[in-house]
Amino acid sequence: MSSISQTDTRAAASGAIEREVARRRTFAIISHPDAGKTTLTEKLLLYAGAIELAGAVRGRATRRHATSDWMELEQQRGISITSAALEFELHGRRISLLDTPGHRDFSEDTYRALIAADSVVMVIDAANGVEAQTRKLFEVCRRHRLPILTFINKFDRPAKDPLELLDDIESTLGIHAAPVNWPVGNAEHFRGVFVIGSQHLLLYEREAHGQYRAPVEVSNLGDPQARTLIGDHVYAQFRESLDVIRTAGTPYDAREYLGGRQTPVFFGSALTNFGLEPFLQAIVELAPPPQPRTSDVGPIEPTDDRFTGFVFKIQANMDPRHRDRVAFVRVCSGRFEKDMTLSSSRAGKPIRASRAYRFFGRDRETIEVAFAGDILGLVNPGQFGIGDTLYAGAPVRFPDVPRFPAEHFARVRPRDTRYKQFDEGLRQLEEEGLMQVFYAANVRREPIVGVVGALQLDVIGARLRSEYGVDAELEPAAFASARWLADPAAPVPALGGGSVIALDRRGRPVILFGSAWELDYFARQHPNLALLAESPAS
């Protein structure tokens, strides 16, 4: 092949990568529990044409479970426990939606999903405003400078004044709130939204159970028929608050939004499908495409020709028919091709990516190619770990994925003699990052597990039983924190109170402290003995 034709081929390949990257949108959804995040996720899929019928988590017993909730315990309790990857097409864009757990006990899995996203959708309950979990997750987004679109949900129910809600966002989160549309009424008088930019009034009809797209009538403020439909009282209140926004509100500024200093705000009702069209349009038009990623060799551009990515999640037994472990990889640059050879920053040896999948909740399909912004599922027979950088060509390493220190502990006792399945289940669940496992002296058969949120202990018991056939008892243990010795060879002084010395799975010494006071006292008494809140690097 001549040098000219080789140049043309490389240029064509680079052009293809640039086109595919430009149409990718990868975002996560965050919220306080019960703000309607899972319902909004279902409706986004409904309006994108990815599903034909929306099944809310709560509602009629005959409804389906939420598309993104694949775990048995999620379906039983009506909550999202694991971060699910959902990929679909929307208005010519390739959307990767990371549906993160909203429950306060699953912040570590949520944190990893946020690191894999390029932007975030923040869902707020119109009756409650900004709540505790929203504030916590918002701070994670702020640290990573993620652009945030805000959807104020549940305007079909009694709600706070929209001006009060904007003030709550600004005063509580310290970010400017720029309304993109404005609600017309609330609760039983909620009629629709006014799109500020286009000056269109979108009036909706309630559709039974919200399982299909809501009929919408497009009008303008001067339409007498629209005023009649809305009602004089609701119309007067709507116009009064709209006039305030027009004169004193924060106008939308794309640069401020992309810089994480401003959040465009949308009002609506995910349950009744009011206000979803302008919000979907914003995801397509406003949310950024894949961005450069910091690495040990400098920023990696998403349009770089070489493939790079990192593992942000590992999940076992998503499909009982396969009984495999899947490593979820955020593609950061280049073009992934099935059967290509990859290297891992941790393993250091070539890995052939022969089984690669795209996910839609539990459902999977084999893929041949992927680009920056895509979420890639690789079958993981033990080579991958959370935080691993995968690359083709010259070595590169992205920053490690942080771990949250465990706050709740329990002793795990198998109720039968299936020790092999018991050990395998604990090992695989620990690989997922669900928990940390510690072994106190001479009690190998009764390990201690540490988790971020207490409900994760229920998840451990349920998954050991349903996925590994092991019936285990989890007895809460009176520990408050775990700290590793920075120098594993350092002698450990005598421990008092409820503290004990244990080993992690790799044999590294870790101290389990019985209380925050005991940890503080130990640190004061032994200032030269450095402790680590996170497991030291392998």
Side-chain angles (χ1 to χ4, degrees):
M1 183 182 292
S2 69
S3 59
I4 295 179
S5 60
Q6 289 177 341
T7 301
D8 290 343
T9 300
R10 285 194 296 268
S14 295
I17 291 175
E18 290 177 3
R19 287 191 299 274
E20 291 297 331
V21 169
R23 75 184 199 94
R24 258 61 179 177
R25 299 293 183 271
T26 305
F27 67 96
I29 302 182
I30 64 172
S31 78
H32 191 82
D34 299 323
K37 175 188 62 64
T38 302
T39 303
L40 178 63
T41 300
E42 289 280 327
K43 298 311 176 69
L44 294 181
L45 299 177
L46 173 69
Y47 273 66
I51 59 175
E52 296 179 356
L53 183 72
V57 171
R58 293 178 178 81
R60 290 180 154 190
T62 55
R63 287 192 183 179
R64 304 180 308 151
H65 299 295
T67 301
S68 57
D69 292 339
W70 58 268
M71 190 186 295
E72 180 182 355
L73 192 64
E74 291 178 306
Q75 298 175 358
Q76 291 172 354
R77 298 197 181 190
I79 59 174
S80 294
I81 292 175
T82 61
S83 297
L86 302 165
E87 295 199 5
F88 54 94
E89 293 283 335
L90 174 64
H91 299 169
R93 301 283 193 250
R94 185 70 190 175
I95 305 294
S96 294
L97 189 163
L98 297 169
D99 179 31
T100 63
H103 196 282
R104 63 182 177 274
D105 283 340
F106 297 95
S107 55
E108 186 167 4
D109 199 44
T110 302
Y111 187 95
R112 298 190 201 109
L114 293 177
I115 293 174
D118 293 307
S119 64
V120 167
V121 166
M122 179 168 63
V123 184
I124 292 176
D125 188 324
N128 299 322
V130 180
E131 298 177 83
Q133 180 72 350
T134 309
R135 289 196 297 271
K136 181 178 180 181
L137 296 174
F138 175 83
E139 288 304 320
V140 176
C141 298
R142 189 201 296 275
R143 288 200 296 272
H144 290 276
R145 299 181 180 177
L146 290 171
I148 299 173
L149 293 171
T150 296
F151 186 82
I152 300 183
N153 192 27
K154 299 188 180 181
F155 255 82
D156 58 314
R157 303 178 184 179
K160 291 183 177 181
D161 184 89
L163 292 170
E164 182 183 351
L165 288 164
L166 293 183
D167 181 68
D168 185 21
I169 292 172
E170 295 194 338
S171 60
T172 303
L173 301 180
I175 188 172
H176 296 296
V180 176
N181 63 22
W182 201 247
V184 181
N186 73 76
E188 69 270 18
H189 301 297
F190 186 40
R191 297 291 182 263
V193 296
F194 176 71
V195 182
I196 295 174
S198 66
Q199 300 286 294
H200 285 149
L201 191 61
L202 305 181
L203 302 178
Y204 295 88
E205 296 178 24
R206 295 187 183 236
E207 189 278 322
H209 311 302
Q211 292 175 288
Y212 301 93
R213 296 174 62 123
V216 57
E217 179 180 331
V218 180
S219 185
N220 59 69
L221 288 179
D223 188 342
Q225 185 177 2
R227 180 166 181 164
T228 301
L229 288 172
I230 295 170
D232 289 340
H233 179 67
V234 173
Y235 185 83
Q237 289 183 323
F238 156 68
R239 287 301 301 261
E240 182 180 353
S241 60
L242 181 61
D243 289 342
V244 173
I245 283 299
R246 283 173 160 173
T247 57
T250 300
Y252 168 70
D253 184 303
R255 183 175 298 179
E256 292 294 292
Y257 158 61
L258 294 174
R261 296 177 294 273
Q262 179 192 97
T263 178
V265 178
F266 299 78
F267 297 85
S269 164
L271 188 64
T272 60
N273 303 336
F274 285 20
L276 291 185
E277 295 95 335
F279 187 63
L280 277 171
Q281 198 64 33
I283 292 174
V284 169
E285 295 179 356
L286 307 184
Q291 299 296 296
R293 291 272 168 169
T294 302
S295 77
D296 62 347
V297 295
I300 302 295
E301 295 291 335
T303 53
D304 193 304
D305 289 343
R306 62 173 173 165
F307 170 83
T308 65
F310 66 91
V311 179
F312 69 95
K313 176 183 177 66
I314 291 177
Q315 189 72 57
N317 305 322
M318 289 187 67
D319 188 340
R321 295 171 300 176
H322 294 277
R323 307 296 293 182
D324 53 19
R325 284 172 289 164
V326 175
F328 285 78
V329 178
R330 159 63 200 246
V331 180
C332 297
S333 69
R335 174 189 174 102
F336 170 87
E337 296 183 355
K338 183 176 177 292
D339 290 325
M340 74 185 303
T341 299
L342 304 176
S343 297
S344 166
S345 60
R346 183 173 58 93
K349 60 181 180 180
I351 301 167
R352 184 166 172 257
S354 57
R355 288 188 288 171
Y357 300 100
R358 175 179 294 119
F359 284 89
F360 191 78
R362 173 185 285 182
D363 297 333
R364 62 175 79 180
E365 64 178 42
T366 302
I367 63 169
E368 299 295 327
V369 297
F371 299 89
D374 289 339
I375 305 300
L376 187 66
L378 298 178
V379 172
N380 175 32
Q383 306 112 311
F384 307 126
I386 291 173
D388 287 0
T389 298
L390 304 182
Y391 57 90
V396 62
R397 183 165 188 154
F398 295 114
D400 291 335
V401 175
R403 295 294 305 270
F404 275 52
E407 299 176 10
H408 303 271
F409 299 83
R411 298 184 187 276
V412 189
R413 299 188 181 98
R415 288 195 175 106
D416 52 39
T417 57
R418 299 180 182 179
Y419 295 123
K420 183 177 179 180
Q421 294 94 321
F422 176 71
D423 291 339
E424 180 71 5
L426 288 183
R427 184 181 64 79
Q428 291 193 7
L429 295 180
E430 186 179 22
E431 281 184 356
E432 292 181 17
L434 176 64
M435 63 192 181
Q436 298 164 355
V437 181
F438 310 106
Y439 299 92
N442 302 320
V443 282
R444 181 82 184 180
R445 290 299 178 195
E446 294 184 9
I448 299 167
V449 296
V451 296
V452 172
L455 191 57
Q456 286 172 304
L457 298 176
D458 292 344
V459 176
I460 293 168
R463 293 189 61 187
L464 284 174
R465 184 168 52 254
S466 65
E467 298 175 21
Y468 300 94
V470 175
D471 188 15
E473 174 188 1
L474 280 87
E475 177 187 326
F479 301 116
S481 59
R483 293 293 185 270
W484 279 261
L485 296 175
D487 179 6
V492 181
L495 300 172
S499 301
V500 301
I501 183 71
L503 300 176
D504 66 12
R505 186 174 294 279
R506 295 186 177 89
R508 297 170 295 203
V510 57
I511 301 175
L512 304 179
F513 288 98
S515 67
W517 182 89
E518 291 181 26
L519 171 58
D520 291 340
Y521 180 79
F522 184 93
R524 290 195 305 270
Q525 293 296 109
H526 308 284
N528 296 324
L529 195 59
L531 300 177
L532 303 174
E534 295 183 13
S535 172
S538 303

Short mmCIF file of all heavy atoms in Angstrom, two decimals, residues 42 55 59-60 91 96 103 116 239 275 285-286 318 358 442 451 464 474 506 522:
data_model
loop_
_atom_site.label_atom_id
_atom_site.label_comp_id
_atom_site.label_asym_id
_atom_site.label_seq_id
_atom_site.Cartn_x
_atom_site.Cartn_y
_atom_site.Cartn_z
N GLU A 42 -37.47 5.18 33.28
CA GLU A 42 -38.41 4.41 32.45
C GLU A 42 -39.02 5.30 31.35
O GLU A 42 -39.15 4.88 30.20
CB GLU A 42 -39.53 3.85 33.33
CG GLU A 42 -39.09 2.73 34.25
CD GLU A 42 -39.01 1.40 33.54
OE1 GLU A 42 -39.81 1.16 32.62
OE2 GLU A 42 -38.13 0.60 33.90
N GLY A 55 -43.23 0.68 32.96
CA GLY A 55 -43.71 0.04 34.17
C GLY A 55 -43.08 0.67 35.38
O GLY A 55 -41.89 0.49 35.64
N GLY A 59 -46.90 0.76 41.97
CA GLY A 59 -48.13 0.88 41.18
C GLY A 59 -48.84 -0.45 41.14
O GLY A 59 -48.76 -1.25 42.06
N ARG A 60 -49.53 -0.68 40.09
CA ARG A 60 -50.33 -1.89 39.98
C ARG A 60 -49.48 -3.14 40.08
O ARG A 60 -48.37 -3.22 39.57
CB ARG A 60 -51.05 -1.90 38.63
CG ARG A 60 -52.15 -0.84 38.53
CD ARG A 60 -52.79 -0.95 37.19
NE ARG A 60 -54.15 -0.46 37.20
CZ ARG A 60 -54.98 -0.63 36.18
NH1 ARG A 60 -54.59 -1.29 35.12
NH2 ARG A 60 -56.19 -0.15 36.25
N HIS A 91 -32.86 10.63 18.83
CA HIS A 91 -32.69 11.80 17.95
C HIS A 91 -31.30 11.85 17.31
O HIS A 91 -30.66 12.89 17.25
CB HIS A 91 -32.93 13.09 18.74
CG HIS A 91 -34.30 13.20 19.32
ND1 HIS A 91 -34.64 14.16 20.23
CD2 HIS A 91 -35.42 12.46 19.13
CE1 HIS A 91 -35.90 14.01 20.59
NE2 HIS A 91 -36.39 12.99 19.92
N SER A 96 -25.81 6.65 26.48
CA SER A 96 -25.45 5.68 27.51
C SER A 96 -25.91 6.25 28.84
O SER A 96 -25.40 7.27 29.30
CB SER A 96 -23.93 5.44 27.53
OG SER A 96 -23.50 4.82 26.34
N HIS A 103 -30.84 4.90 46.68
CA HIS A 103 -30.90 4.65 48.12
C HIS A 103 -29.61 5.09 48.79
O HIS A 103 -28.52 4.92 48.26
CB HIS A 103 -31.14 3.16 48.39
CG HIS A 103 -31.60 2.87 49.78
ND1 HIS A 103 -30.73 2.85 50.83
CD2 HIS A 103 -32.82 2.65 50.29
CE1 HIS A 103 -31.40 2.59 51.95
NE2 HIS A 103 -32.68 2.46 51.64
N ALA A 116 -17.69 7.52 35.62
CA ALA A 116 -17.77 7.03 34.25
C ALA A 116 -18.62 7.93 33.36
O ALA A 116 -18.66 7.73 32.15
CB ALA A 116 -18.34 5.61 34.22
N ARG A 239 -48.49 33.46 35.10
CA ARG A 239 -47.95 34.65 34.45
C ARG A 239 -47.18 35.53 35.44
O ARG A 239 -46.14 36.10 35.09
CB ARG A 239 -49.08 35.47 33.81
CG ARG A 239 -49.67 34.86 32.55
CD ARG A 239 -48.61 34.66 31.46
NE ARG A 239 -47.96 35.89 31.07
CZ ARG A 239 -48.28 36.60 30.00
NH1 ARG A 239 -49.27 36.18 29.21
NH2 ARG A 239 -47.62 37.69 29.69
N GLY A 275 -43.93 17.38 30.46
CA GLY A 275 -42.66 18.09 30.40
C GLY A 275 -41.47 17.25 30.01
O GLY A 275 -40.33 17.70 30.15
N GLU A 285 -29.26 18.09 23.03
CA GLU A 285 -28.65 19.32 22.53
C GLU A 285 -27.66 19.96 23.50
O GLU A 285 -26.67 20.57 23.08
CB GLU A 285 -29.75 20.33 22.19
CG GLU A 285 -30.65 19.89 21.05
CD GLU A 285 -31.74 20.89 20.76
OE1 GLU A 285 -31.83 21.90 21.50
OE2 GLU A 285 -32.50 20.68 19.79
N LEU A 286 -27.92 19.86 24.81
CA LEU A 286 -27.10 20.57 25.78
C LEU A 286 -26.01 19.71 26.41
O LEU A 286 -24.91 20.19 26.66
CB LEU A 286 -27.97 21.17 26.89
CG LEU A 286 -29.15 22.04 26.46
CD1 LEU A 286 -29.83 22.63 27.69
CD2 LEU A 286 -28.70 23.14 25.53
N MET A 318 -25.41 -11.52 36.48
CA MET A 318 -26.51 -10.70 35.98
C MET A 318 -27.54 -11.56 35.27
O MET A 318 -28.73 -11.28 35.33
CB MET A 318 -25.98 -9.64 35.02
CG MET A 318 -25.19 -8.54 35.70
SD MET A 318 -24.75 -7.22 34.56
CE MET A 318 -26.37 -6.52 34.19
N ARG A 358 -22.99 -5.11 24.82
CA ARG A 358 -23.69 -3.88 25.15
C ARG A 358 -24.88 -4.29 26.01
O ARG A 358 -25.51 -5.32 25.78
CB ARG A 358 -24.16 -3.17 23.88
CG ARG A 358 -25.01 -1.95 24.13
CD ARG A 358 -25.42 -1.28 22.82
NE ARG A 358 -24.24 -0.74 22.14
CZ ARG A 358 -23.84 -1.12 20.95
NH1 ARG A 358 -24.48 -2.07 20.29
NH2 ARG A 358 -22.78 -0.57 20.38
N ASN A 442 -7.84 -17.08 63.61
CA ASN A 442 -8.39 -18.40 63.92
C ASN A 442 -9.90 -18.53 63.68
O ASN A 442 -10.51 -19.48 64.18
CB ASN A 442 -8.08 -18.78 65.38
CG ASN A 442 -6.59 -18.78 65.67
OD1 ASN A 442 -5.79 -19.23 64.83
ND2 ASN A 442 -6.22 -18.27 66.83
N VAL A 451 -19.24 -2.74 54.98
CA VAL A 451 -19.98 -2.13 53.88
C VAL A 451 -20.19 -0.65 54.16
O VAL A 451 -20.07 -0.19 55.30
CB VAL A 451 -21.36 -2.81 53.67
CG1 VAL A 451 -21.18 -4.26 53.26
CG2 VAL A 451 -22.22 -2.70 54.93
N LEU A 464 -25.97 -14.26 48.28
CA LEU A 464 -25.36 -15.55 48.61
C LEU A 464 -26.40 -16.68 48.46
O LEU A 464 -26.09 -17.77 47.95
CB LEU A 464 -24.82 -15.54 50.04
CG LEU A 464 -23.51 -14.78 50.27
CD1 LEU A 464 -23.17 -14.73 51.75
CD2 LEU A 464 -22.36 -15.41 49.49
N LEU A 474 -25.88 -13.21 58.85
CA LEU A 474 -25.04 -12.02 59.02
C LEU A 474 -25.39 -11.36 60.35
O LEU A 474 -26.49 -10.83 60.51
CB LEU A 474 -25.24 -11.02 57.87
CG LEU A 474 -24.48 -11.38 56.59
CD1 LEU A 474 -25.29 -12.32 55.70
CD2 LEU A 474 -24.12 -10.12 55.80
N ARG A 506 -5.76 -10.37 50.93
CA ARG A 506 -4.38 -10.48 50.46
C ARG A 506 -3.39 -10.63 51.60
O ARG A 506 -2.18 -10.56 51.38
CB ARG A 506 -4.02 -9.27 49.60
CG ARG A 506 -4.82 -9.18 48.30
CD ARG A 506 -4.32 -8.04 47.44
NE ARG A 506 -5.00 -7.98 46.17
CZ ARG A 506 -6.12 -7.32 45.93
NH1 ARG A 506 -6.69 -6.64 46.92
NH2 ARG A 506 -6.68 -7.31 44.74
N PHE A 522 -6.03 5.81 69.40
CA PHE A 522 -4.91 5.05 68.83
C PHE A 522 -4.00 5.99 68.03
O PHE A 522 -2.78 5.92 68.13
CB PHE A 522 -5.44 3.94 67.94
CG PHE A 522 -4.38 3.04 67.37
CD1 PHE A 522 -4.01 1.88 68.03
CD2 PHE A 522 -3.73 3.35 66.18
CE1 PHE A 522 -3.02 1.04 67.52
CE2 PHE A 522 -2.76 2.53 65.66
CZ PHE A 522 -2.39 1.37 66.34
#
